[in-house]
Amino acid sequence: MKNAAVVTSSALAEILCQTDVRALANRYAAQLQLCCPRHPISHTLARTVHAHMLTSGFRARGHILNRLIDVYGKSGDLNYARYLFDAIPHPDIVARTTLISAYSAAGSTKLARDIFDRTPPTLRDTVSYNAMITGYSHNGDGYAAVELFRDMMRESLLPDDYTFTSVLSGLALIVNDEKQCQQLHCDVVKLGTHSVLSVLNALVSLYTKCTPFSSSSVDSARRLFNEMPNRDELTWTTMITGYVRNGYIDSARLLLDSMTDKLDVAWNAMISGYVHHGFISEALELFKRMHSLGIQFDEFTYTSVLSACASPGFFCTGKEVHAYILRTEGKSAPNFSLPVNNALVTLYGKSGKVVESRWIFENMLDRDLVSWNAILSGYVNSGCIEEAKSLFEMMQERNLLTWTVMISGFAQNGLGEEGLKLFNQMRIEGLQPCDYAFAGAFTACAGLGALEHGRQLHALLICFGFDSSLSAGNALVTMYARCGVVEAAHQVFLAMPFVDSVSWNAMIAALGQHGHGAMALDLFKRMVEHDILPDRITFLTVLSACSHAGLVTEGCNCFESMESVYAIIPGEDHYARLIDLLCRAGKFSEAKKLIEKMPFEPGPSIWEALLAGCRVHGNMDLGVQAAERLFELMPKHDGTYVLLSNMYATMGRWNDVAKVRKVMRDRGVKKEPGCSWIEVGNKVHVFLVDDTVHPEQQEVYNYLDKLVLEMRKLGYVPDTKFVLHDVEFELKENALSTHSEKLAVVYGLLKLPHGATVRVMKNLRICGDCHNAFKFMSLVAEREIVVRDGKRFHHFSNGECSCGNYW
């Protein structure tokens, strides 16, 4: 009896101990349950509970260990979560699924899949499959999500509503055939989840993302939407977003107007859609209506509206929205939200208000890479390239957009060489260029006339798989055209899988610059036949093409059609092109009448066009009048003084030449020096007038002398009227021979392989004597010579020029 009593006491003690452990475990479990919300404070509390377990000697097992793995996984400490997992001899399916979800949430789908694959098939259940499928869908791997769903079906595991919601989201990433949507839709119906709201929302989203989004898939999405017994905010937003994304703007608006609930997310989606498709006025009208209906604005509303106001002509409205934000958001307004402040930086930057943009940027309490890129773009768009360069060097973090903005900025501001250096530096630092970066590099090559470099970049573009890019293709067309190879530009244009109005404009401009006016007009007609509506840029290119080719009637008809046919009101730049066309053709009376009938006061571009025409035809009286107006409007512009001085020099009025030059000196105006450059052996060689700097200048002069002797045998006589200085005849001939374009062409003839085309770029208008000389040079050297001056291209071959001496 005594022994029995002892056994009973030991058993009782063990039971009491187990009871205490169970109670302690329950208490820890309850404490961890309170720490479930995903918040840094909750995670800290959970770690404190875990620390107490360790110090008290409590050994966590089972559901508590699973809960700890979940806490560390959600707090981002995946290494410790894995350490706890690896410490379990035989982890159950809950532990495995928890770690799969943690890895997936962190974007580590490979590690998640490794845990999934190591899970014995007998342990896998619907929840574990759901975790892995969801991981793939959330991380953008639609193919893997759909394939794993098929594996699940082959394993005879029944999918639930969570499964379908995830796999439908995954399929939406890759769907390219409506039949794929219908197949999964059938599975949803067969397995009885067709009444679950989340599944139906995912199905609607899937149909709207079907590529291409056909009228059939539109009908399927809308029919499903109409048949839904219940709809929530996501349902309405998904359908509206689907319409908007695929260009069905009117249908989206009708759906929005049919809503009875004031769902701000759906309204935000509609505003965003309007902005994305360029319907700025409609977006602002809807914003005002939101306010009148009392629908609450949030950061998404403000971001979209401010983006709309960043479009040309809406800056004042943007300022009003900014003022409204400051007034209604109270003290928190300066730091209302990071996206809104970023949108404000962009608004002021795009509107050229870089001082205000920088002030907002400097006063932001939080800044991200978007903020830095926004202020950088503002400086670049405003032409403040030095400030942009300084800011770029300050940035501790840069992404592809940062580099692309700077490359394009350098290229568009005449610093093509620096743009190309930056493009190469980006690649050296391991960043793969995108098609927009290539477009910036092509623009740089176009400005420099660096044809060979541009060709190498074209090959690289193809290697990277961006040859179908619209932006890169448009830049390529311009690059080849600006480098003198209009045939290559045309080939690129014809090979582009997609073209837009920018593409057509670029090709029309290319033909016009090379003197192919009739071809440019024909291409314009084809553009209209392809239902591409011309814009104001189109008419600028067409008018320029007509001007270069002397197509007066065609140009006038085109100008008249702007407003009468296409409802485009001509601007001062269009009038300037038309006046240039008339003046080049010697029709000064028509040009004067046009100026008198203009609906606004003529600006500098009008008088410059008139003065240039007077220079060509020697109309001194009208030229002087135009010059006087330009002196009033732009007293520091060197071009006016040079044109007027050249006119006097051509007429032999040397006293007047001296007077003009004295005025220039008195006003501190300096003439832009003429220079020409040519690319030889992947290096650009620059020549100035009477060049003594180039290391091979003596060899160039010697070869030029030999060429001139041969040219004289064919009838070449230097035209000394183009010497704009009052010097002796022999000195005039010598001055003509040292023009920069002659030196550059001769260098090309000397250094390029026999038969290769010589391509020279010049910053100013080509000299008349040089133009005549190149026709003879093309005969003597039996080479094609292409010269790009400040206005157009000249192709010299067999003693003739493509311009037909009309320039």
Side-chain angles (χ1 to χ4, degrees):
M1 291 291 295
K2 186 177 179 181
N3 289 338
V6 171
V7 171
T8 302
S9 299
S10 299
L12 181 61
E14 186 176 347
I15 290 169
L16 290 172
C17 182
Q18 289 176 355
T19 303
D20 291 341
V21 171
R22 191 176 295 112
L24 189 60
N26 289 337
R27 188 166 77 248
Y28 282 134
Q31 290 173 341
L32 289 173
Q33 182 66 33
L34 294 174
C35 301
C36 272
R38 296 193 64 177
H39 191 279
I41 296 176
S42 301
H43 297 153
T44 302
L45 291 173
R47 289 169 183 263
T48 303
V49 173
H50 187 204
H52 192 276
M53 292 182 198
L54 296 174
T55 55
S56 67
F58 177 80
R59 296 182 61 188
R61 294 186 179 87
H63 67 288
I64 292 182
L65 203 53
N66 291 345
R67 187 68 56 78
L68 286 170
I69 292 171
D70 183 51
V71 166
Y72 282 102
K74 287 178 179 177
S75 63
D77 195 347
L78 289 171
N79 290 332
Y80 197 77
R82 183 60 183 263
Y83 168 78
L84 293 175
F85 177 83
D86 289 340
I88 305 173
H90 303 289
D92 60 15
I93 191 61
V94 176
R96 295 173 186 273
T97 304
T98 300
L99 195 58
I100 289 170
S101 297
Y103 277 135
S104 296
S108 303
T109 52
K110 288 185 178 179
L111 293 173
R113 186 57 188 259
D114 180 65
I115 297 295
F116 182 85
D117 288 341
R118 291 187 184 187
T119 304
T122 54
L123 275 183
R124 293 177 192 163
D125 58 7
T126 299
V127 177
S128 60
Y129 269 97
N130 288 353
M132 196 65 244
I133 292 171
T134 301
Y136 280 133
S137 296
H138 287 177
N139 287 283
D141 194 344
Y143 291 102
V146 173
E147 188 57 39
L148 192 61
F149 173 76
R150 290 173 180 158
D151 291 343
M152 179 181 177
M153 297 292 282
R154 283 191 286 265
E155 292 292 331
S156 299
L157 285 170
L158 286 178
D160 57 16
D161 53 329
Y162 294 103
T163 317
F164 279 117
T165 302
S166 296
V167 75
L168 288 167
S169 299
L171 180 59
L173 299 170
I174 60 171
V175 63
N176 55 20
D177 189 343
E178 192 179 350
K179 290 180 180 178
Q180 296 171 315
C181 307
Q182 293 168 345
Q183 288 171 356
L184 262 182
H185 193 171
C186 289
D187 288 336
V188 167
V189 175
K190 287 178 184 177
L191 295 169
T193 57
H194 57 284
S195 60
V196 178
L197 184 58
S198 61
V199 176
L200 290 173
N201 284 342
L203 265 174
V204 171
S205 179
L206 174 63
Y207 278 114
T208 63
K209 291 177 181 176
C210 183
T211 305
F213 190 58
S214 64
S215 59
S216 175
S217 58
V218 171
D219 294 339
S220 297
R222 186 55 188 267
R223 185 166 53 251
L224 187 61
F225 175 87
N226 291 338
E227 293 172 354
M228 291 174 66
N230 298 302
R231 304 186 190 103
D232 61 4
E233 193 170 40
L234 180 59
T235 316
W236 287 93
T237 306
T238 299
M239 193 66 230
I240 289 173
T241 303
Y243 274 137
V244 164
R245 183 189 297 114
N246 295 281
Y248 292 82
I249 302 295
D250 292 338
S251 298
R253 182 57 187 268
L254 287 172
L255 186 62
L256 181 76
D257 291 339
S258 70
M259 285 172 48
T260 54
D261 295 328
K262 298 176 181 178
L263 304 176
D264 60 317
V265 177
W267 284 71
N268 288 345
M270 190 69 241
I271 291 175
S272 177
Y274 274 139
V275 175
H276 180 74
H277 288 277
F279 297 107
I280 307 304
S281 298
E282 290 81 354
L284 296 177
E285 177 270 328
L286 199 60
F287 174 69
K288 293 175 183 176
R289 191 174 171 200
M290 278 184 75
H291 181 263
S292 64
L293 293 174
I295 301 175
Q296 187 67 40
F297 299 148
D298 59 18
E299 64 183 52
F300 299 104
T301 320
Y302 289 128
T303 302
S304 293
V305 170
L306 290 170
S307 298
C309 295
S311 302
F314 292 92
F315 173 66
C316 290
T317 305
K319 286 182 68 175
E320 292 173 1
V321 175
H322 187 191
Y324 179 82
I325 293 171
L326 293 171
R327 186 172 68 252
T328 56
E329 298 300 327
K331 294 181 179 179
S332 63
N335 194 44
F336 173 61
S337 75
L338 184 60
V340 174
N341 279 322
N342 287 343
L344 284 168
V345 171
T346 301
L347 167 69
Y348 285 97
K350 280 189 174 182
S351 304
K353 311 291 184 182
V354 287
V355 174
E356 293 85 346
S357 182
R358 186 62 181 261
W359 186 89
I360 295 169
F361 175 81
E362 294 291 351
N363 285 277
M364 291 170 63
L365 298 181
D366 295 309
R367 290 194 288 260
D368 60 4
L369 190 53
V370 176
S371 317
W372 285 90
N373 285 341
I375 187 65
L376 184 71
S377 298
Y379 278 123
V380 168
N381 292 335
S382 300
C384 305
I385 201 67
E386 287 302 319
E387 290 86 346
K389 187 177 179 181
S390 175
L391 196 70
F392 177 80
E393 292 170 353
M394 288 169 54
M395 294 175 67
Q396 296 180 351
E397 182 186 0
R398 299 168 184 159
N399 63 1
L400 188 55
L401 176 61
T402 315
W403 290 89
T404 302
V405 166
M406 279 307 300
I407 292 167
S408 300
F410 279 133
Q412 292 165 7
N413 285 276
L415 301 170
E417 190 172 350
E418 289 196 51
L420 292 177
K421 287 179 181 177
L422 203 63
F423 182 87
N424 293 332
Q425 183 184 340
M426 175 183 69
R427 294 190 62 209
I428 291 170
E429 295 190 13
L431 211 60
Q432 179 175 316
C434 64
D435 54 338
Y436 292 104
F438 273 106
F442 289 138
T443 302
C445 291
L448 294 171
L451 176 62
E452 292 308 316
H453 201 123
R455 282 173 170 161
Q456 292 171 13
L457 286 173
H458 189 181
L460 192 64
L461 178 85
I462 295 171
C463 290
F464 280 119
F466 294 133
D467 48 311
S468 62
S469 164
L470 182 61
S471 59
N474 290 341
L476 259 177
V477 170
T478 301
M479 187 275 290
Y480 278 120
R482 293 280 290 158
C483 289
V485 195
V486 69
E487 299 83 5
H490 197 208
Q491 288 173 2
V492 171
F493 176 78
L494 293 175
M496 289 173 66
F498 306 102
V499 290
D500 60 3
S501 60
V502 177
S503 318
W504 289 91
N505 292 347
M507 195 62 235
I508 293 170
L511 292 170
Q513 288 169 352
H514 287 265
H516 305 303
M519 293 174 65
L521 283 173
D522 181 63
L523 193 65
F524 171 67
K525 293 174 184 175
R526 285 170 51 198
M527 174 183 179
V528 175
E529 289 170 359
H530 281 76
D531 294 327
I532 304 291
L533 283 177
D535 54 22
R536 63 184 316 278
I537 303 299
T538 311
F539 286 101
L540 287 174
T541 60
V542 172
L543 288 168
S544 291
C546 292
S547 179
H548 291 316
L551 303 174
V552 178
T553 302
E554 293 85 345
C556 291
N557 291 339
C558 176
F559 183 86
E560 292 297 328
S561 72
M562 282 184 66
E563 192 166 2
S564 62
V565 179
Y566 300 103
I568 298 175
I569 299 174
E572 184 177 333
D573 45 1
H574 296 99
Y575 278 95
R577 300 290 171 94
L578 184 58
I579 289 167
D580 182 66
L581 168 64
L582 294 171
C583 290
R584 283 182 184 276
K587 297 182 178 295
F588 293 104
S589 59
E590 290 89 337
K592 288 176 65 178
K593 289 177 183 177
L594 181 63
I595 293 174
E596 292 168 0
K597 291 195 302 182
M598 281 169 47
F600 42 76
E601 284 294 316
S605 61
I606 303 295
W607 298 113
E608 279 185 310
L610 185 61
L611 179 58
C614 292
R615 161 76 171 86
V616 172
H617 292 279
N619 190 332
M620 184 61 69
D621 293 337
L622 190 57
V624 170
Q625 293 177 34
E628 288 175 350
R629 295 303 305 272
L630 281 168
F631 287 146
E632 295 172 6
L633 295 169
M634 297 191 306
K636 295 290 186 180
H637 182 53
D638 66 316
T640 308
Y641 298 90
V642 172
L643 278 174
L644 184 59
S645 173
N646 291 351
M647 285 180 66
Y648 284 134
T650 303
M651 302 292 291
R653 295 168 57 172
W654 299 110
N655 289 334
D656 290 320
V657 171
K659 290 177 182 177
V660 172
R661 290 176 178 171
K662 182 179 184 303
V663 173
M664 284 184 71
R665 288 193 300 271
D666 293 344
R667 295 180 178 179
V669 179
K670 293 184 178 180
K671 175 184 177 293
E672 179 186 0
C675 69
S676 302
W677 60 97
I678 183 172
E679 185 182 16
V680 176
N682 287 329
K683 183 178 179 181
V684 176
H685 296 260
V686 180
F687 292 87
L688 302 174
V689 177
D690 196 20
D691 201 300
T692 58
V693 177
H694 194 277
E696 298 173 271
Q697 47 94 10
Q698 193 55 52
E699 187 179 0
V700 171
Y701 284 127
N702 291 339
Y703 188 54
L704 176 58
D705 290 340
K706 292 179 182 179
L707 283 173
V708 170
L709 286 175
E710 296 297 321
M711 289 158 57
R712 284 180 182 273
K713 293 177 183 178
L714 296 176
Y716 168 68
V717 177
D719 193 342
T720 56
K721 75 178 181 181
F722 291 103
V723 177
L724 304 175
H725 298 276
D726 187 14
V727 294
E728 296 299 324
F729 183 81
E730 292 78 7
L731 293 177
K732 286 187 177 183
E733 285 199 4
N734 182 66
L736 288 173
S737 68
T738 61
H739 281 192
S740 66
E741 58 264 53
K742 275 198 184 77
L743 300 179
V745 167
V746 170
Y747 186 78
L749 292 172
L750 189 63
K751 295 296 181 179
L752 291 172
H754 182 72
T757 301
V758 176
R759 293 184 173 84
V760 168
M761 312 296 159
K762 183 176 176 16
N763 63 331
L764 303 177
R765 187 176 186 269
I766 187 173
C767 154
D769 176 71
C770 289
H771 187 273
N772 188 39
F774 293 151
K775 289 192 288 186
F776 284 94
M777 279 187 191
S778 68
L779 276 173
V780 171
E782 297 181 341
R783 302 274 280 275
E784 182 183 5
I785 299 170
V786 180
V787 179
R788 184 187 87 189
D789 67 11
K791 294 292 184 181
R792 59 167 299 160
F793 278 87
H794 299 266
H795 294 252
F796 302 92
S797 180
N798 297 318
E800 299 294 335
C801 179
S802 60
C803 73
N805 296 325
Y806 186 87
W807 54 283

